[in-house]
């Protein structure tokens, strides 16, 4: 694993300097923050580094508009790093971390993250979720060498950020279910150690949802640990499969479309929260499926598929990238029939596994509501039509088997879109 030191404790902020020295020696540091995180802990982090004899420069993004993870922000950090041999210390949550992770990786330098909120699992993941030329993708790059989080700061973080992290954590129910599905179809085998790493803490956090809603230090620490664990799982696999399924693909479409509410981009965790409930809802609906539903429903021919894709992605470059992906997963007649057979054979097992893996939709929804997650698209300024659109796009953008592919290949995608109106 890239991550060598992970320190999550009360008062950890005072140890930034000593931990930095332990990991990187006496290199100078470039502290990267935005207006908000600078205000919360910028001074404490800079002081701790300086007290350890580290020379510190700072690069502070404005609080408003919030930094966006694209090639421009990445270039800004990279240029600043290139001024000397500094190691980046990023103070912030998801987006800033992704920007810094990618910029550091382009220069082949390690970096350190000081987390300010338990808001995403991307702190510790391999790869950075960024938009290049408007296309949302996960670019390969090393995870941080050091992850440090002060539970005091985590508990004081804005409630929406805690709720976001809870949403990103609950996503592992749905992502796990998609992995089970891919495993049952022989498309991507489950790795037991990685599975346990993500799924065990997920269940603890789910049980603790009331404590998280009340910002109990222990529960918030558990949430951060669960999110970190799923990042570590992605590092081990060099793949986001253990932590990301249809719910994340739905959120990627919304990220590409810059979904915003009250002038602010909707957080990753909030988009994922709605995607998670949609996915769980679709799985629950699958419990009503009979073997004979697996046959006889027509799907698009490739030419029609191509046309749908081009209609969806109006940007030519994005359409081209997506076409290649869609082509690689498109099943022609015989292959499609084979797949439908495989699905119908494993259907009883799949239903059992759905019941084991997923909490009942209403129960999950209630827990998410209590913590402050959005549970309906309208709460993130999207309509049901927007959700349906995102589902259509989500099924196109990645060659990763999910519940959306299952519905698509069975010729039941329209039925899934209709069904989602009931969520
Ligand atoms: Zn996520």
């Amino acid at each position: 694993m890239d991550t060598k030191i992970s320190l999550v404790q009360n008062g950890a902020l005072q140890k930034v300097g000593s931990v930095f020295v332990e990991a990187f020696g006496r290199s100078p540091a470039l502290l990267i923050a935005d207006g908000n995180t600078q205000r919360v802990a910028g001074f404490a982090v800079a002081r701790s580094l300086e007290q350890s004899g580290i020379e510190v420069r700072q690069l502070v993004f404005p609080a408003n508009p919030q930094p966006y993870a694209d090639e421009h922000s990445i270039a800004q950090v990279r240029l600043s790093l290139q001024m000397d041999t500094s190691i980046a210390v990023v103070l912030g949550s998801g987006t800033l971390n992704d920007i810094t992770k990618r910029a550091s990786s382009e220069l082949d330098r390690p970096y350190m993250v000081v987390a300010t909120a338990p808001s995403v699992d991307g702190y510790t993941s391999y790869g950075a979720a960024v938009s290049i030329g408007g296309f949302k993708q996960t670019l390969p790059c090393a995870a941080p060498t050091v992850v440090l989080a002060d539970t005091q700061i985590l508990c004081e973080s804005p409630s929406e950020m805690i709720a976001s992290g809870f949403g990103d954590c609950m996503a592992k129910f749905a992502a796990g279910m998609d992995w089970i599905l891919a495993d049952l179809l022989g498309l991507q085998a489950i790795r037991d150690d990685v599975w346990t790493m993500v799924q065990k803490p997920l269940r603890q956090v789910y049980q603790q949802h009331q404590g998280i809603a009340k910002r109990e230090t222990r529960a918030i620490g558990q949430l951060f640990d669960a999110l970190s664990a799923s990042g570590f799982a992605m590092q081990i696999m060099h793949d986001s499969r253990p932590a990301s399924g249809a719910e994340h693909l739905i959120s990627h479409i919304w990220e590409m479309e810059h979904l915003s509410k009250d002038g602010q981009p909707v957080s990753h965790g909030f988009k994922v929260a709605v995607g998670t409930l949609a996915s769980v809802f679709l799985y629950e609906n699958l419990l009503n499926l009979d073997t004979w539903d697996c046959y006889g429903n027509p799907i698009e021919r490739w030419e029609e598929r191509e046309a749908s894709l081009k209609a969806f992605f109006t940007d030519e470059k994005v359409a081209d990238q997506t076409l290649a992906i869609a082509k690689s997963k498109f099943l022609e007649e015989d292959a499609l029939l084979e797949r439908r057979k495989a699905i119908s054979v494993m259907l009883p097992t799949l239903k059992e596994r759905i019941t084991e893996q997923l909490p009942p939709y209403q129960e999950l929804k209630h827990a998410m509501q209590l913590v402050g997650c959005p549970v309906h698209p309208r709460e993130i300024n999207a309509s049901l039509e927007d959700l349906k659109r995102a589902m259509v796009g989500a099924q196109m953008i990645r060659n990763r088997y999910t519940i959306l592919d299952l519905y698509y290949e069975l010729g039941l995608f329209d039925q899934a879109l209709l069904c989602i109106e009931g969520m």
Side-chain angles (χ1 to χ4, degrees):
M1 283 209 309
D2 302 317
T3 306
K4 304 290 179 240
I5 303 174
S6 170
L7 184 69
V8 184
Q9 57 179 226
N10 199 350
L13 223 48
Q14 286 151 23
K15 298 183 181 166
V16 170
S18 56
V19 171
F20 183 93
V21 172
E22 186 185 335
F24 311 113
R26 299 282 162 189
S27 302
L30 176 66
L31 173 57
I32 297 156
D34 65 25
N36 288 323
T37 61
Q38 160 89 341
R39 189 173 42 78
V40 172
F43 180 70
V45 169
R47 188 179 55 187
S48 174
L49 286 163
E50 280 162 1
Q51 280 174 348
S52 296
I54 300 300
E55 197 186 304
V56 187
R57 274 194 300 126
Q58 301 202 17
L59 172 61
V60 182
F61 284 87
N64 260 309
Q66 286 173 17
Y68 184 65
D70 62 8
E71 60 269 49
H72 307 292
S73 320
I74 293 168
Q76 212 176 331
V77 171
R78 192 185 54 231
L79 288 172
S80 186
L81 279 170
Q82 275 173 320
M83 287 166 62
D84 53 29
T85 57
S86 286
I87 302 287
V89 177
V90 57
L91 174 64
S93 54
T95 306
L96 271 186
N97 180 49
D98 278 331
I99 295 168
T100 308
K101 187 191 285 187
R102 179 62 193 178
S104 297
S105 152
E106 285 176 5
L107 297 173
D108 221 358
R109 285 189 207 175
Y111 83 101
M112 165 170 178
V113 58
V114 179
T116 47
S119 54
V120 277
D121 66 10
Y123 284 118
T124 50
S125 69
Y126 169 88
V130 295
S131 273
I132 304 292
F135 189 73
K136 178 84 190 177
Q137 52 204 298
T138 303
L139 291 182
C141 43
T145 306
V146 180
V147 179
L148 184 140
D150 192 324
T151 45
Q152 182 81 30
I153 302 275
L154 297 181
C155 282
E156 285 165 12
S157 61
S159 48
E160 312 84 68
M161 298 196 94
I162 295 174
S164 270
F166 188 74
D168 204 17
C169 187
M170 293 305 106
K172 287 21 168 184
F173 279 122
M177 193 57 232
D178 280 337
W179 199 5
I180 291 175
L181 175 62
D183 181 69
L184 288 175
L185 287 173
L187 299 170
Q188 192 169 10
I190 286 183
R191 231 185 97 164
D192 290 337
D193 54 339
V194 174
W195 174 266
T196 311
M197 213 171 163
V198 175
Q199 297 289 322
K200 201 174 158 201
L202 158 66
R203 281 161 173 80
Q204 282 165 354
V205 168
Y206 185 54
Q207 271 177 4
Q208 289 292 322
H209 67 270
Q210 283 169 326
I212 291 168
K214 286 187 249 162
R215 292 170 181 256
E216 287 167 9
T217 316
R218 210 176 84 95
I220 295 287
Q222 272 180 344
L223 173 60
F224 191 85
D225 285 336
L227 291 168
S228 294
S230 94
F232 294 142
M234 290 186 265
Q235 283 190 46
I236 293 172
M237 292 274 292
H238 272 208
D239 183 4
S240 57
R241 171 58 104 174
S244 149
E247 76 298 327
H248 271 78
L249 297 176
I250 290 172
S251 85
H252 287 181
I253 295 293
W254 279 333
E255 263 154 66
M256 281 155 75
E257 292 175 347
H258 302 277
L259 180 66
S260 62
K261 191 182 176 199
D262 305 325
Q264 295 291 344
V266 177
S267 71
H268 171 74
F270 275 12
K271 285 176 281 207
V272 163
V274 174
T276 298
L277 285 170
S279 176
V280 170
F281 196 77
L282 289 175
Y283 270 115
E284 224 165 72
N285 184 60
L286 218 55
L287 296 174
N288 304 317
L289 199 76
D290 286 310
T291 314
W292 54 82
D293 295 323
C294 297
Y295 298 99
N297 308 300
I299 65 162
E300 300 165 306
R301 283 176 293 114
W302 172 248
E303 298 71 38
E304 292 166 321
R305 176 73 171 158
E306 206 175 351
S308 322
L309 266 153
K310 284 183 175 158
F312 192 94
F313 298 102
T314 43
D315 182 296
E316 209 177 306
K317 248 171 67 187
V318 175
D320 281 350
Q321 264 176 296
T322 316
L323 264 177
I325 296 166
K327 180 77 186 163
S328 70
K329 67 187 226 180
F330 190 79
L331 299 179
E332 300 286 354
E333 283 162 40
D334 288 352
L336 182 65
L337 194 61
E338 277 304 305
R339 178 62 55 77
R340 287 181 172 186
K341 252 187 230 164
I343 294 172
S344 78
V345 167
M346 61 97 177
L347 194 58
T349 316
L350 179 65
K351 289 183 183 179
E352 271 171 36
R353 300 292 295 274
I354 292 172
T355 326
E356 281 166 17
Q357 167 67 12
L358 299 176
Y361 169 78
Q362 286 298 345
E363 194 187 293
L364 179 63
K365 181 176 166 180
H366 185 74
M368 289 170 78
Q369 221 158 11
L370 198 76
V371 176
C373 293
V375 296
H376 191 278
R378 79 175 84 85
E379 293 173 62
I380 54 169
N381 199 27
S383 61
L384 267 176
E385 287 310 309
D386 292 328
L387 171 60
K388 290 183 191 178
R389 225 187 93 77
M391 282 164 61
V392 171
Q395 196 271 325
M396 295 170 167
I397 52 171
R398 182 129 192 211
N399 196 353
R400 164 170 297 165
Y401 204 85
T402 73
I403 179 77
L404 298 175
D405 295 300
L406 181 95
Y407 275 99
Y408 182 83
E409 291 174 352
L410 291 180
L412 297 173
F413 203 82
D414 286 343
Q415 196 175 309
L417 296 178
L418 210 63
C419 146
I420 210 70
E421 289 180 7
M423 88 174 256

